[in-house]
Amino acid sequence: MPTVFTRKHLLGIRELDAGEITHLLDTAENFRDISRREIKKVPALRGRTVINLFFEPSTRTRTSFEIAAKRLSADAINISVSTSSVSKGETLLDTARNLEAMAPDCIVVRHSMAGAPQQLARMGNAPIVNAGDGSHEHPTQALLDALTIREYKGRIDGLKVAIIGDVLHSRVARSNIHLLTKLGSSVSVAGPGTLVPTEFVELVEQGLTVEKRIEDAIEGADVIMILRIQRERQDAAFFPSLREYAVHFGLHPNHLERAAPDAIVMHPGPMNRGIEIASEIADGSRSLILDQVTNGVAVRMAVLYLLAGGGRTEVEENKIGLAENGTKRRQGNR
Amino acid sequence: MPTVFTRKHLLGIRELDAGEITHLLDTAENFRDISRREIKKVPALRGRTVINLFFEPSTRTRTSFEIAAKRLSADAINISVSTSSVSKGETLLDTARNLEAMAPDCIVVRHSMAGAPQQLARMGNAPIVNAGDGSHEHPTQALLDALTIREYKGRIDGLKVAIIGDVLHSRVARSNIHLLTKLGSSVSVAGPGTLVPTEFVELVEQGLTVEKRIEDAIEGADVIMILRIQRERQDAAFFPSLREYAVHFGLHPNHLERAAPDAIVMHPGPMNRGIEIASEIADGSRSLILDQVTNGVAVRMAVLYLLAGGGRTEVEENKIGLAENGTKRRQGNR
Amino acid sequence: MPTVFTRKHLLGIRELDAGEITHLLDTAENFRDISRREIKKVPALRGRTVINLFFEPSTRTRTSFEIAAKRLSADAINISVSTSSVSKGETLLDTARNLEAMAPDCIVVRHSMAGAPQQLARMGNAPIVNAGDGSHEHPTQALLDALTIREYKGRIDGLKVAIIGDVLHSRVARSNIHLLTKLGSSVSVAGPGTLVPTEFVELVEQGLTVEKRIEDAIEGADVIMILRIQRERQDAAFFPSLREYAVHFGLHPNHLERAAPDAIVMHPGPMNRGIEIASEIADGSRSLILDQVTNGVAVRMAVLYLLAGGGRTEVEENKIGLAENGTKRRQGNR
């Protein structure tokens, strides 16, 4: 395996190269099997401490990271901080430095401010995983989406992917656009005119197309990614009403006829059924929405494993420490 | 042991038969001893994931389930969701399906809506434990009450049990009435006239008596169960004031003279002292209120053990996996 | 080691003697090394249950206790209760008694009411650790401060320690004053005139000096402890404004010239930068603020270890059960 992941942090997809992304996906694929076993646990991170530091409320992502940490035998510590109780900038750093002084092996951070995890990584010592920062990046979401695509399509290179919705405010879209173009997909985005970020103009030569109409973006698509309407992240009215959004940019069954015959549909959740996606599609045979969630645990296991030190000690003894007899040997060696 | 518990879920007492209830109680009795040891832990559910999904605030029940899971060596994940942030019906299902996609071995659910756990059980894959749904059922509470009665009375069959209070709104009462009549107790309930549910008319032939006065219900009772005033669950005023409730339906020391000489007093907690129960009784020698709490951990260990798969793998090797040398053998075998 | 710690609870520093304090610090010193290892875990409290019962919001202290418990292999249960939802006195006791009925090996309590942990200790069975009660005591904070001083100064006896700030409302100050005078430091306190408690008059003969000006307290000090402005704990205005507080009682770089040349600076956190302490000092070479946090985990490991029963069973086999080969031996013996 020529490429390895030697970074200390996972802050975004933008700075990763295709080899690093592929290594993360390969590692996650190995971990996916653990959650299907009866004993869903490997000793890879025994005695390590993973802190989930969430400045925004989250059920799904926090739970996914917590389950991932525990299935690696790490001690998981959850900290929920309402942003209101923390002054900005420096005090975020003080909070993080204080936690670092307790010797965690990894800090998973979600924050409403774009760049918060980068700031912590720059100033501190512990490995930082970005679990979503403002409208900036959500790298583990893009990785789990890619793992899901690869599982069902066998590849990412050469696919046509449509991303539909509030792209401007979506850290999910941003991370996915970076990942998919790096791995050779061509990506079409469509959303209300005002919602497509100008910064992606640079990506047009790498295969990004910006469409005005959902129908044009979906035309021939192998993968349709629907974004969640992030009502809480909009400070201005970008479209007249949810009803109108549903009519113009909601995914309806007749849209699927324009996509490739075996097109798959994804959504990062939680869904606003009947707004950005019709229930028939969400519950239909093309929907991989729950597969995404399952792959989320595997991706987070891989990320924690690589960053929190599991890889450093296990790799010689037992490749990635997943074999159940590996468990026995470690017990014996201690 | 001819009867075993083969159900996938524990949704209510109503659908269980006497053999199943007895099997749950017998299993819990075996687990009760673990919490008295110095090392309060058995490996029965190692590598299993138990999710506590609470849509209503709860300290005691959530803690009891969490301690039960951890003493079985399961990974316990707590999720508290304020009902307000979740739209009803479908979205509850989406939340649950998403969690199921993370491969938990059991989901413990508390919800303000009667029938919510049933809905999850019908639509999903994971074993569901009802930790209280609206005014419907709270099966582990009835089981811990029964375990406590059996511990002090040696039997449930043939006892006279009085249940006093807000029966109409009480999932505790409902589950207890089903359990106690199935196991052969005769049950008298008394509460403000409007608070006795008409649906229990069918149970009258199985030994249920509805009394108007607390004195009549308590007459000759072996067991007195006091219900908590669920102020938060009443949308209309069923009695004029708490003061008046205390006078007419609060348990006072002189009431005990009407009960059997060795009558025991129970309360599911948390208590409103001086309202539904006098402090002298709560702290007196007949009170088993703290024994109920202790038995709650044992009952929840039994339920999690039977539903989350401990039983399937342990049973051959080591009956129910409780012996401490059983622990050693499992280590050696892995 | 002639002195041992035989108390059941840790409620305050006031009632401890110098030998007990030194034993706690020595034990903590042994535990400090564990958090520097790759596998940050010893089996000392495996199968024990530690409940963190916090009636006041806390990120840092709760996290420190939780990490300490988990690094000792205990099961840690977090319970956050907003004081508003609990009536005072009796119901606090009912809450605690209920938790005790679940057989925890230790309950860590933080409460806004001075004396709450003492009340629980008097009425209940489980070992109680005071994690801060009103303006009364915060013993583990004083212990971690002492451990930090000892680490950098080699001793506590004979040092001159200045404590600056809102002494009247500070449980941190109170616990530190008791500890430092018991161990032979001379302590000078300075703060707004109204904020120095009269109750410490009795300590003046044991080396406590009350100064009006920060400059006088700091004169020749080996250790400068800055207290946090506890805005939430002040029900009256004790000083005109934060701006004025910063001018008169904030620690500024020029103050350090009056202290001993190798003086160290401490703060219990979280800091109000620019108010009670200048950022240049907080981030400067004399600041031990993050060392305090690191030592906090070690102190809490020691306290939990001694109170939750680790000491009783481990001490014969393996002194304090810290050696990694001790781990192996326990596995073999079970």
Side-chain angles (χ1 to χ4, degrees), chain B residues 83-94 111-113 119:
Chain B
T83 315
S84 62
S85 77
V86 177
S87 353
K88 291 180 197 76
E90 220 175 18
T91 307
L92 163 66
L93 276 180
D94 278 340
H111 201 286
S112 60
M113 186 177 71
Q119 201 182 356

Side-chain angles (χ1 to χ4, degrees), chain A residues 266-301:
Chain A
M266 303 167 78
H267 187 293
M271 284 185 282
N272 299 300
R273 287 171 178 262
I275 298 175
E276 73 258 12
I277 188 168
S279 273
E280 307 93 288
I281 301 178
D283 301 327
S285 62
R286 287 154 183 262
S287 167
L288 300 183
I289 294 171
L290 298 179
D291 299 80
Q292 290 171 270
V293 177
T294 300
N295 282 328
V297 175
V299 158
R300 280 144 193 156
M301 288 178 82

Side-chain angles (χ1 to χ4, degrees), chain A residues 35-41 59-64 66-67 70-71 78 271 273 279 283 289-291 293-295 297 324 327-328 331, chain B residues 46-49 51 70 75-81 90-91 94-95 97-99 101-105 309 312-313 330-334:
Chain A
S35 296
R36 295 183 183 134
R37 296 184 191 161
E38 195 165 285
I39 308 286
K40 300 169 185 65
K41 207 171 182 98
T59 295
R60 149 190 332 240
T61 304
R62 192 269 296 168
T63 301
S64 183
E66 184 181 354
I67 288 179
K70 289 181 170 173
R71 290 191 180 157
N78 292 323
M271 284 185 282
R273 287 171 178 262
S279 273
D283 301 327
I289 294 171
L290 298 179
D291 299 80
V293 177
T294 300
N295 282 328
V297 175
E324 294 207 65
T327 308
K328 189 164 58 186
Q331 298 262 20
Chain B
R46 202 184 72 87
R48 265 73 161 206
T49 305
I51 293 181
K70 289 180 170 175
D75 290 324
I77 308 286
N78 291 324
I79 302 177
S80 293
V81 192
E90 220 175 18
T91 307
D94 278 340
T95 301
R97 279 175 181 155
N98 269 279
L99 293 173
M102 300 183 199
D105 297 275
R312 288 195 292 275
T313 55
R330 296 198 72 226
Q331 298 264 19
N333 286 351
R334 204 168 299 132

Side-chain angles (χ1 to χ4, degrees), chain B residues 4-321:
Chain B
V4 290
F5 191 83
T6 56
R7 289 177 188 269
K8 181 171 179 182
H9 310 286
L10 179 65
L11 302 174
I13 299 295
R14 187 175 202 162
E15 59 265 31
L16 303 184
D17 65 30
E20 290 173 313
I21 293 168
T22 300
H23 183 68
L24 284 167
L25 296 177
D26 291 345
T27 308
E29 206 167 273
N30 284 321
F31 277 111
R32 192 163 50 198
D33 177 52
I34 291 169
S35 296
R36 295 182 182 137
R37 296 183 192 163
E38 193 166 287
I39 308 285
K40 302 169 184 65
K41 208 170 180 102
V42 289
L45 293 186
R46 202 184 72 87
R48 265 73 161 206
T49 305
V50 173
I51 293 181
N52 292 318
L53 177 62
F54 277 63
F55 292 91
E56 287 188 323
S58 160
T59 295
R60 149 188 334 241
T61 305
R62 192 269 296 167
T63 300
S64 183
F65 272 108
E66 183 181 355
I67 288 178
K70 289 180 170 175
R71 290 193 179 155
L72 292 165
S73 301
D75 290 324
I77 308 286
N78 291 324
I79 302 177
S80 293
V81 192
S82 62
T83 315
S84 62
S85 77
V86 177
S87 353
K88 291 180 197 76
E90 220 175 18
T91 307
L92 163 66
L93 276 180
D94 278 340
T95 301
R97 279 175 181 155
N98 269 279
L99 293 173
E100 283 195 1
M102 300 183 199
D105 297 275
C106 190
I107 301 180
V108 177
V109 185
R110 168 166 288 191
H111 201 286
S112 60
M113 186 177 71
Q118 288 71 10
Q119 201 182 356
L120 300 188
R122 206 162 47 239
M123 305 299 290
N125 295 312
I128 302 289
V129 176
N130 180 359
D133 63 325
S135 302
H136 179 232
E137 282 238 31
H138 190 357
T140 57
Q141 178 70 42
L143 288 165
L144 72 88
D145 289 339
L147 188 63
T148 307
I149 294 171
R150 222 173 63 161
E151 186 179 3
Y152 283 86
K153 293 291 176 192
R155 64 195 168 103
I156 291 172
D157 182 48
L159 294 180
K160 181 170 188 318
V161 182
I163 303 180
I164 308 299
D166 183 8
V167 177
L168 182 62
H169 295 92
S170 174
R171 53 197 180 201
V172 174
R174 207 170 300 255
S175 290
N176 262 310
I177 290 170
H178 285 300
L179 187 151
L180 292 165
T181 53
K182 280 171 197 279
L183 261 63
S185 291
S186 65
V187 180
S188 306
V189 303
T194 45
L195 298 189
V196 176
T198 51
E199 71 161 85
F200 282 121
V201 172
E202 51 172 303
L203 286 176
V204 170
E205 61 192 32
Q206 290 164 53
L208 184 71
T209 319
V210 180
E211 303 285 358
K212 282 235 165 6
R213 297 174 356 120
I214 180 172
E215 290 82 359
D216 296 332
I218 287 177
E219 192 70 45
D222 301 294
V223 179
I224 304 170
M225 289 186 173
I226 303 300
L227 300 176
R228 167 179 170 73
I229 295 287
Q230 302 258 25
R231 276 176 272 188
E232 67 276 17
R233 223 173 289 289
Q234 281 177 248
D235 27 28
F238 289 100
F239 40 82
S241 73
L242 289 177
R243 177 67 27 212
E244 226 163 292
Y245 185 91
V247 169
H248 291 297
F249 294 100
L251 187 70
H252 301 290
N254 61 317
H255 286 138
L256 296 181
E257 296 165 19
R258 294 173 168 269
D262 57 350
I264 58 178
V265 177
M266 302 168 78
H267 187 295
M271 284 184 283
N272 300 299
R273 286 171 178 262
I275 298 175
E276 72 257 12
I277 187 168
S279 272
E280 306 93 288
I281 301 179
D283 302 326
S285 62
R286 288 154 182 263
S287 168
L288 299 183
I289 294 172
L290 298 179
D291 299 80
Q292 290 172 270
V293 178
T294 300
N295 282 327
V297 175
V299 158
R300 281 144 193 155
M301 288 178 81
V303 169
L304 293 178
Y305 172 79
L306 291 169
L307 298 186
R312 288 195 292 275
T313 55
E314 303 297 307
V315 72
E316 293 312 319
E317 184 187 353
N318 183 17
K319 287 297 179 285
I320 65 166

Side-chain angles (χ1 to χ4, degrees), chain C residues 158-217:
Chain C
L159 294 180
K160 182 170 186 319
V161 182
I163 304 181
I164 310 297
D166 183 9
V167 176
L168 182 61
H169 296 91
S170 174
R171 53 197 180 201
V172 173
R174 208 169 300 255
S175 290
N176 262 310
I177 290 170
H178 285 301
L179 188 151
L180 293 165
T181 53
K182 280 170 198 281
L183 263 62
S185 291
S186 64
V187 179
S188 307
V189 304
T194 45
L195 298 189
V196 177
T198 51
E199 70 161 86
F200 283 120
V201 171
E202 51 171 303
L203 287 175
V204 171
E205 60 191 34
Q206 291 164 54
L208 183 71
T209 319
V210 179
E211 303 285 357
K212 283 236 165 4
R213 297 172 357 118
I214 180 172
E215 290 82 358
D216 296 331

Side-chain angles (χ1 to χ4, degrees), chain A:
Chain A
M1 206 183 294
T3 315
V4 289
F5 191 83
T6 56
R7 289 177 189 270
K8 181 170 179 183
H9 311 285
L10 179 65
L11 303 174
I13 299 294
R14 187 175 203 165
E15 59 265 32
L16 303 184
D17 65 30
E20 290 173 312
I21 294 167
T22 301
H23 183 68
L24 284 167
L25 296 177
D26 292 344
T27 308
E29 207 167 273
N30 284 321
F31 278 111
R32 192 163 50 198
D33 178 53
I34 291 169
S35 296
R36 295 183 183 134
R37 296 184 191 161
E38 195 165 285
I39 308 286
K40 300 169 185 65
K41 207 171 182 98
V42 289
L45 294 186
R46 201 183 72 87
R48 264 75 161 204
T49 305
V50 174
I51 293 180
N52 293 318
L53 177 61
F54 277 63
F55 291 90
E56 288 188 323
S58 160
T59 295
R60 149 190 332 240
T61 304
R62 192 269 296 168
T63 301
S64 183
F65 272 107
E66 184 181 354
I67 288 179
K70 289 181 170 173
R71 290 191 180 157
L72 292 166
S73 301
D75 290 324
I77 309 285
N78 292 323
I79 303 177
S80 294
V81 191
S82 63
T83 314
S84 64
S85 76
V86 177
S87 353
K88 291 181 197 75
E90 221 174 17
T91 307
L92 164 66
L93 276 181
D94 278 340
T95 301
R97 278 175 181 157
N98 269 281
L99 293 173
E100 283 195 2
M102 299 183 199
D105 296 274
C106 189
I107 302 180
V108 177
V109 185
R110 168 166 288 191
H111 201 285
S112 60
M113 186 177 72
Q118 286 72 10
Q119 201 182 355
L120 299 188
R122 206 163 45 240
M123 304 299 291
N125 294 312
I128 302 290
V129 176
N130 181 358
D133 62 326
S135 301
H136 178 233
E137 283 238 31
H138 190 356
T140 56
Q141 178 70 42
L143 288 165
L144 72 87
D145 288 339
L147 188 64
T148 307
I149 295 171
R150 224 173 61 161
E151 186 179 3
Y152 282 86
K153 292 292 176 191
R155 63 192 169 107
I156 291 172
D157 183 46
L159 294 180
K160 182 170 187 319
V161 182
I163 304 181
I164 309 297
D166 184 8
V167 176
L168 182 61
H169 295 91
S170 173
R171 54 197 180 201
V172 173
R174 208 170 301 256
S175 289
N176 262 309
I177 290 170
H178 285 300
L179 188 151
L180 293 165
T181 53
K182 279 171 198 282
L183 262 63
S185 291
S186 64
V187 179
S188 306
V189 304
T194 45
L195 298 189
V196 177
T198 52
E199 70 162 85
F200 283 121
V201 172
E202 52 172 303
L203 286 175
V204 171
E205 61 191 32
Q206 290 164 54
L208 184 71
T209 318
V210 179
E211 302 285 357
K212 282 234 163 11
R213 295 170 1 115
I214 181 172
E215 290 83 357
D216 297 332
I218 288 177
E219 192 69 44
D222 302 294
V223 179
I224 304 171
M225 288 186 172
I226 304 300
L227 300 176
R228 168 178 170 71
I229 295 286
Q230 302 258 27
R231 278 176 270 187
E232 65 278 18
R233 224 174 286 288
Q234 282 179 248
D235 26 29
F238 289 101
F239 39 83
S241 73
L242 289 177
R243 178 66 29 213
E244 227 164 290
Y245 185 91
V247 169
H248 292 297
F249 294 100
L251 187 70
H252 301 289
N254 60 317
H255 286 137
L256 295 182
E257 297 165 18
R258 293 175 169 268
D262 57 350
I264 58 179
V265 176
M266 303 167 78
H267 187 293
M271 284 185 282
N272 299 300
R273 287 171 178 262
I275 298 175
E276 73 258 12
I277 188 168
S279 273
E280 307 93 288
I281 301 178
D283 301 327
S285 62
R286 287 154 183 262
S287 167
L288 300 183
I289 294 171
L290 298 179
D291 299 80
Q292 290 171 270
V293 177
T294 300
N295 282 328
V297 175
V299 158
R300 280 144 193 156
M301 288 178 82
V303 169
L304 293 178
Y305 172 78
L306 291 170
L307 298 186
R312 288 196 292 275
T313 54
E314 303 297 305
V315 73
E316 293 313 318
E317 184 188 355
N318 183 17
K319 288 295 178 286
I320 64 165
L322 299 178
E324 294 207 65
N325 60 351
T327 308
K328 189 164 58 186
R329 280 180 58 204
R330 296 198 73 226
Q331 298 262 20
N333 287 350
R334 204 168 303 134

